Amino acid sequence: MSRTSLNADVVSLFPPDIDFATRKIARHLTQTKVIVQNGDKFETKTLSTFRNYEVNFTVGEEFEEVTKGLDNRTIQTLVTWDGDKLVAVQKGEKANRGWMQWIEGDLLHLVTERKMEGGGLEREKREREMS
């Protein structure tokens, strides 16, 4: 079992369609991301003084995720391995969303993406130092 903790810009906790006031508050906070892995089972927690978010999953098993406190969606999420990267595909009321996450050296990489209504793709990449 391993545990990784990192400090990061809390804005990454909130998707782009979160309201302006929440984003403004979030810019002044710091967060800690905790990832516990036991084989293909993951426990992830994003902690801050403003909001906490927890999602637990087993790679290869689709699960229902409720993004309570973020954008309040109920979605079906499937996380799989793509080499050494975790890739999540999310299906639900806001279609065509997902993320990819991996560790390289002392950095945690996170890429989020969503397909826009006009057919374009919005992709955001973040890197955070692990401590």
Side-chain angles (χ1 to χ4, degrees):
M1 186 173 307
S2 63
R3 180 182 176 114
T4 303
S5 179
L6 59 118
N7 291 320
D9 177 11
V10 78
V11 175
S12 67
L13 180 61
F14 300 96
D17 46 356
I18 297 299
D19 67 85
F20 174 76
T22 301
R23 284 184 163 283
K24 188 165 181 140
I25 292 167
R27 291 188 196 286
H28 299 288
L29 303 174
T30 57
Q31 74 179 20
T32 299
K33 180 120 180 167
V34 178
I35 301 171
V36 178
Q37 178 185 1
N38 187 1
D40 277 345
K41 293 182 186 266
F42 284 80
E43 297 174 19
T44 64
K45 297 177 186 177
T46 305
L47 310 170
S48 77
T49 54
F50 183 62
R51 289 202 176 131
N52 296 328
Y53 184 70
E54 183 174 339
V55 63
N56 303 316
F57 59 88
T58 301
V59 175
E61 294 180 14
E62 189 172 69
F63 64 98
E64 183 176 275
E65 180 179 359
V66 179
T67 60
K68 184 173 170 76
L70 300 176
D71 59 357
N72 297 311
R73 296 180 291 143
T74 298
I75 53 179
Q76 290 300 119
T77 301
L78 176 63
V79 180
T80 57
W81 287 108
D82 181 6
D84 62 348
K85 298 175 182 169
L86 286 173
V87 178
V89 175
Q90 299 173 326
K91 300 175 193 170
E93 55 200 67
K94 295 180 181 178
N96 302 314
R97 295 181 182 230
W99 53 261
M100 185 181 331
Q101 183 170 283
W102 71 96
I103 295 173
E104 191 174 289
D106 288 340
L107 293 177
L108 173 68
H109 299 267
L110 174 64
V111 176
T112 57
E113 68 179 34
R114 65 184 180 136
K115 292 182 182 166
M116 308 302 284
E117 287 183 22
L121 180 67
E122 179 179 85
R123 180 176 279 174
E124 183 178 349
K125 182 177 180 184
R126 296 176 224 119
E127 297 174 343
R128 305 289 181 237
E129 264 190 59
M130 299 186 332
S131 56

